[in-house]
Amino acid sequence: MSGAGNILADLAPDPAAERFEVLLSRPGVRVERIVSCGQASPPGFWYDQPQGEWVLLLRGAAGLQLEDEPAPRRLEPGDYLWIEPHRRHRVAWTQAGAATLWLAIHVEAAAPPI
Amino acid sequence: MSGAGNILADLAPDPAAERFEVLLSRPGVRVERIVSCGQASPPGFWYDQPQGEWVLLLRGAAGLQLEDEPAPRRLEPGDYLWIEPHRRHRVAWTQAGAATLWLAIHVEAAAPPI
């Protein structure tokens, strides 16, 4: 994590694995760059995260399934979505043969008042 | 703030004023979309913010001056930068006649331990 860079650099897709890079990590907030190439969440797997996640698709295309919706949302470049903590979701598909670039902002739920 | 949308929508540049839109607001974190068209910070004005700011330029071009650097950094699409709280900075210029699109993540400094 260097503090500065270009999010479009080094987009060579890797069909073998998604690539994750932390661009910013501060108390309560983590910004991540993800490069996918045809990957999807394993069958039957759901993310169930204590943090909220704001996701922005910048290149490529993906299908994002929210458990409480009947079908995956198709995400195109520029599309963003806020996923509340514990809203179960999975990546149904990402475009094959090309890089799909995501920006994800993970936000800790605020501590409850005491 | 609807929770979902497309950050590339409605990029018609407005030479009269920058356009700000809050895409996400949670305790400690605010995500903003900014569309500039030739605007710059007023001469002699410096941002001096208690929050940190992670900024990503998505369209257009801009010059970002950090007070502790000798010349503005030129930002092109994909370039990002973390600006620590109270690191003084200003927008030296943005591209004229076209939209310059920014994503800004404002991050509250963690409360100091008591």
Side-chain angles (χ1 to χ4, degrees), chain A residues 3 5-7 29 77-80 82, chain B residues 3 5-7 29 77-80 82:
Chain A
N6 189 291
I7 202 168
V29 183
D79 284 337
Y80 63 85
W82 169 246
Chain B
N6 190 293
I7 202 168
V29 182
D79 284 336
Y80 63 84
W82 168 245

Side-chain angles (χ1 to χ4, degrees), chain A residues 56-81:
Chain A
L56 168 65
L57 194 139
L58 288 168
R59 291 283 186 279
L64 185 70
Q65 176 74 58
L66 297 161
E67 195 182 35
D68 55 17
E69 294 187 343
R73 296 181 184 218
R74 182 185 174 89
L75 301 183
E76 302 273 359
D79 284 337
Y80 63 85
L81 181 71

Side-chain angles (χ1 to χ4, degrees), chain B residues 24-44:
Chain B
L24 179 72
S25 182
R26 304 289 294 180
V29 182
R30 191 173 78 255
V31 178
E32 224 172 35
R33 173 197 201 244
I34 306 163
V35 182
S36 312
C37 178
Q39 289 90 9
S41 302

Side-chain angles (χ1 to χ4, degrees), chain A:
Chain A
M1 197 184 98
S2 71
N6 189 291
I7 202 168
L8 304 176
D10 184 21
L11 278 183
D14 182 352
E18 286 187 304
R19 290 160 47 202
F20 293 83
E21 184 183 356
V22 175
L23 304 182
L24 179 71
S25 182
R26 304 289 294 179
V29 183
R30 191 173 78 255
V31 178
E32 225 173 33
R33 173 198 200 244
I34 305 163
V35 182
S36 311
C37 178
Q39 289 91 9
S41 303
F45 172 86
W46 295 91
Y47 290 100
D48 185 346
Q49 303 172 145
Q51 307 88 12
E53 181 173 358
W54 189 88
V55 67
L56 168 65
L57 194 139
L58 288 168
R59 291 283 186 279
L64 185 70
Q65 176 74 58
L66 297 161
E67 195 182 35
D68 55 17
E69 294 187 343
R73 296 181 184 218
R74 182 185 174 89
L75 301 183
E76 302 273 359
D79 284 337
Y80 63 85
L81 181 71
W82 169 246
I83 305 170
E84 291 282 352
H86 293 298
R87 189 175 184 189
R88 285 157 59 96
H89 61 282
R90 61 189 302 277
V91 177
W93 55 269
T94 57
Q95 187 175 347
T100 289
L101 173 63
W102 312 77
L103 182 77
I105 308 175
H106 302 274
V107 181
E108 294 288 339
I114 55 172

